[in-house]
């Protein structure tokens, strides 16, 4: 904390124009604002944008920003290259050839809007608005905007990340947290306090578990990885649970190198130690927890020796890590995407909540901070659903769709049920898709070849993005150019502080997500879109859906951020801040943290945590393991790219030119693979190729492959589609294979074999790879 105080004292605040949002430095206009996609990640860092003659020339971190403290990653620093790239979409386009031929004609915005409006109204009249699907990508700066447009404008209940089996990103952790605690929690790294590490009430975590993520690269879910580094410098000890040796794992007191897909067993084993050795916080459990006796009986089935055998981690390491976490005060868990990308997602989530609950680390300084979206702008994916016509919500493609899925745990429609409807027309056909902020074929689409065939069955597709992508070429009829972060007015409320983005440049005819939404919304449903412009739309969210007392302009003039007091208060459960009745306790049926959540029972789930083997593993499919003797995990983040973004950028490709498959040198020697060889990764579903890189931080039976690769330098037209299938792990990932409740996907634990690519012999993606057919959900937990 002394170092941070010295850092603040050494800032020349006058030089950085404290209290101003825009000023002149020589030939540059400098704007203090925030960056929040596109392009970008799940975070929103304070930036100084240097523009000249209406063009972005340079980006610097804002040392006066308390959120990111002036630090920026390469993706922000390299923003001018992305913003000014010649490959960006400049004008609206309509397809003039066949789908996949990459033949387009420039049209005006009015013609694009007229075409879309006509099609939407025709489909609504003939098939019903439920036959339209609204598709978005990962949670970035479209979290509330697109759901509002899809539900209030297109009037469809079917909003989803398309072809993304099992809701395999973030939302299951959110609903699992609300089930157990009535709120969501994040590691308290002082980010709720404007004075940050100097805040008198805050203390650094004594111990942090970093579980299933690499936050210094990913900065996922609104959490900056360098905050953990600051905590480490203040004495925080780390436990890292990950099959790969990450930068943080190399600095951890305990690195638990689990076999992919066995994390729930690890959580149960740690709970066994903490409860069995009486290391839990009796006072907190007695006052604020429900279900300890039942949980104790369940975890008794998972002694450290049994868990060691399941996870391939020594029992003494499991005991040591559990003791360190339980005895450290306060402790916290930075959890990540690996939770959803295994079929034990929901029991893993409840077990992890039990870990920090029974040790008394909920909503205490340096523990797991209970947070809400800034100024209580709580609605995101359900924003606008009040404008759905009567009876439409009942037609959402989830549990009500002829029982194809099991429940409606997550507010989204199920992408697997939508896929079923596209392929079969049951329970009704899908006639249109609006895809915005999602390069589906390159990134989220599990069983990508099948997704490709499905997209071609949809009669009319609108696609909006800053760049032409494989998904657009393959399937779009109308393509709309989307503005980037410095070209849009916007606001972010996903965790405090509330932040604004200020438009400073214009790229040809590109429009922001907000502008497109308001333009089309006013045409389709004027009652739901009374907004005259993008700023009125933004203010309706932060002021009316939330309780922000100011205007967008006032927020901008304050430097683009304002903190919300609610998040800064600790032990809210003692102060009557969580329940609608104003009483002490948590917003759950029992008023306590439910170690056996009642909501799980309502959803048809076991309220107690358990381990289940991945559907493909040495244990569950031993015969398959003989032919496919390696476990493939995928999805690890890189410094240069965010999912499928940034592949056009020369700087990023100089640093990271090719897709990399990590393998242990021992494994490479066994298969006669040398560093830099192109290697096929194959399963019974198909294959893809990546370049070998040696990494001793993997066990010999595990490989790691990179996701979301496509090659803008390759031919855009079919059959190439920018090489989207060449190096795509989603050639192998299964659609429709889920955990209980339709939640969780096994894409981080699949069995494969590897062999070298031989030029002119076997260097093409397998021609016999067939599109699989789902025939309904496959629930691997039954």
């Amino acid at each position: 904390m002394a170092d941070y105080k010295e850092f603040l004292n050494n800032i020349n605040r006058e030089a950085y124009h404290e209290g101003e949002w825009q000023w002149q430095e020589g030939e540059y206009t400098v704007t203090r604002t925030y960056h929040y996609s596109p392009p970008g990640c799940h975070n929103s860092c304070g930036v100084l944008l240097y523009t000249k003659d209406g063009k972005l020339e340079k980006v610097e971190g804002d040392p006066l920003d308390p959120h990111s403290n002036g630090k920026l990653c390469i993706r922000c620093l390299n923003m001018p290259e992305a913003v000014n790239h010649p490959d960006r979409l400049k004008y609206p386009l309509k397809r003039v050839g066949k789908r996949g031929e990459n033949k387009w004609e420039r049209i005006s915005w009015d013609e694009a809007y007229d075409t879309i409006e006509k099609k939407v109204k025709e489909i609504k009249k003939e098939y019903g608005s439920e036959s339209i699907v609204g598709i978005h990508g990962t949670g970035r700066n479209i979290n509330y905007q697109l759901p509002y447009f899809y539900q209030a404008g297109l009037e469809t209940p079917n909003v989803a990340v398309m072809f993304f089996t099992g809701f395999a990103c973030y939302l299951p952790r959110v609903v699992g947290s609300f089930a157990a605690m009535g709120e969501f929690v994040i590691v308290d790294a002082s980010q709720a306090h404007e004075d940050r590490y100097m805040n008198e009430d805050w203390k650094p975590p004594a111990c942090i578990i970093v579980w299933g993520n690499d936050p210094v690269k990913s900065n996922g879910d609104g959490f900056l990885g360098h905050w953990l580094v600051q905590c480490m410098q203040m004495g925080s000890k780390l436990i890292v649970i990950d099959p790969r040796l990450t930068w943080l794992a190399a600095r951890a007191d305990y690195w638990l190198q689990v076999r992919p897909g066995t994390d729930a067993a690890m959580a149960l084993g740690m709970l066994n130690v903490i409860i069995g050795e009486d290391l839990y916080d009796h006072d907190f459990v007695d006052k604020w927890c429900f279900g300890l006796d039942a949980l104790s009986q369940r975890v008794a089935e998972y002694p450290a020796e049994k868990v060691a055998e399941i996870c391939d981690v020594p029992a003494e390491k499991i005991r040591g890590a559990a003791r360190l976490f339980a005895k450290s005060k306060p402790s916290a868990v930075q959890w990540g995407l690996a939770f959803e990308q295994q079929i034990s997602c929901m029991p893993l989530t409840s077990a992890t909540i039990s870990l920090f609950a029974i040790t008394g680390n909920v909503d205490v300084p340096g523990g797991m901070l209970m947070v809400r979206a800034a100024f209580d702008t709580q609605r995101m994916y359900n924003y606008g659903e009040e404008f759905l016509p009567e009876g439409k919500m009942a037609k959402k493609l989830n549990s009500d769709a002829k029982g194809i899925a099991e429940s409606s745990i997550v507010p989204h429609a199920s992408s697997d049920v939508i896929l079923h409807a596209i392929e079969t027309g049951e329970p009704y056909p899908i006639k249109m898709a609006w895809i915005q902020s999602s390069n589906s074929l390159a990134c989220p689409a599990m069983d990508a070849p099948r997704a490709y065939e499905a997209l071609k069955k949809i009669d009319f597709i609108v696609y909006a993005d800053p760049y032409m992508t494989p998904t657009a070429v393959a399937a779009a009829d109308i393509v709309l150019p989307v503005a980037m972060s410095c070209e849009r007015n916007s606001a972010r409320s996903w965790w405090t502080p509330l932040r604004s983005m200020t438009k400073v440049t214009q790229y040809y005819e590109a429009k922001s997500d907000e502008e497109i939404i308001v333009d089309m919304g006013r045409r389709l449903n004027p009652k739901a879109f009374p907004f005259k412009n993008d700023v009125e739309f933004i203010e309706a969210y932060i002021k009316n859906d939330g309780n922000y007392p100011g205007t967008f302009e006032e927020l901008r003039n304050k430097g683009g951020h304002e903190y919300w007091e609610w998040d800064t208060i600790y032990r809210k459960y003692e102060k009557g801040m969580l329940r609608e009745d104003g009483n002490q306790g948590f917003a759950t049926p029992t008023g306590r943290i439910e170690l056996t959540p009642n909501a799980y029972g309502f959803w048809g789930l076991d309220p107690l945590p358990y381990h289940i083997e991945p559907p493909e593993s040495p244990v569950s499919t031993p015969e398959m393991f003989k032919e496919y003797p390696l476990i493939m995990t995928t999805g690890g983040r890189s410094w240069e790219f965010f999912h499928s973004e940034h592949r056009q950028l020369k700087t990023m490709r100089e640093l990271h030119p090719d897709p990399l498959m990590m393998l242990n040198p021992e494994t490479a020697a066994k298969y006669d693979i040398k560093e830099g060889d192109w290697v096929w990764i194959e399963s019974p579903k198909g294959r893809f190729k990546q370049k070998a890189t040696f990494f001793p931080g993997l066990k010999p039976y595990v490989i790691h492959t990179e996701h979301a690769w496509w090659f803008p330098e390759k031919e855009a037209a079919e059959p190439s589609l920018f090489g989207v299938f060449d190096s795509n792990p989603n050639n192998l990932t299964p659609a429709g294979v889920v955990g209980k409740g339709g939640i969780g996907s096994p894409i981080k634990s699949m069995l494969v074999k590897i062999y070298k690519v031989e030029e002119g012999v076997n260097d093409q993606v397998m021609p016999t790879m067939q599109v699989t057919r789902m025939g309904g959900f496959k629930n691997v937990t039954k």
Side-chain angles (χ1 to χ4, degrees), residues 132 152 164 181 201-202 230 241 260 297 322 332 346 351 367 424 428 626 658 710 722 762:
I132 303 172
F164 199 45
M181 298 177 289
D201 295 330
W202 180 78
Q230 293 287 140
I241 303 175
Q297 292 178 27
M346 294 305 285
T424 67
Y428 49 79
K626 292 177 183 177
D658 300 305
W710 60 292
F722 296 113
N762 69 351

Side-chain angles (χ1 to χ4, degrees), residues 211 263 267 271 333 335 339 347-357:
W211 201 329
D263 301 70
L271 284 167
V333 180
W335 50 8
F339 273 59
L348 170 60
T349 297
S350 66
T352 304
I353 291 169
S354 294
L355 274 173
F356 55 72

Side-chain angles (χ1 to χ4, degrees), residues 36-38 40-42 134-147 150 159-164 167-171 221 381 412 434-445 463-465 471 494 513 637 642-645:
Y36 186 27
S37 77
C41 65
H42 287 171
I135 300 171
H136 64 83
T138 186
R140 295 181 298 170
N141 202 4
I142 44 77
N143 284 351
Y144 68 89
Q145 299 96 320
L146 283 179
Y150 292 152
V159 180
V161 179
M162 197 55 189
F163 310 119
F164 199 45
F167 306 96
C169 177
Y170 188 60
L171 284 180
D221 308 332
Y381 295 119
H412 268 37
W434 185 300
I435 306 173
Q436 192 157 335
S437 184
S438 180
N439 187 358
S440 302
L441 292 181
C443 188
Y463 188 87
D465 198 271
T471 309
W494 187 10
D513 295 273
R637 303 302 189 247
F642 181 70
H643 290 307
S644 64
E645 288 185 343

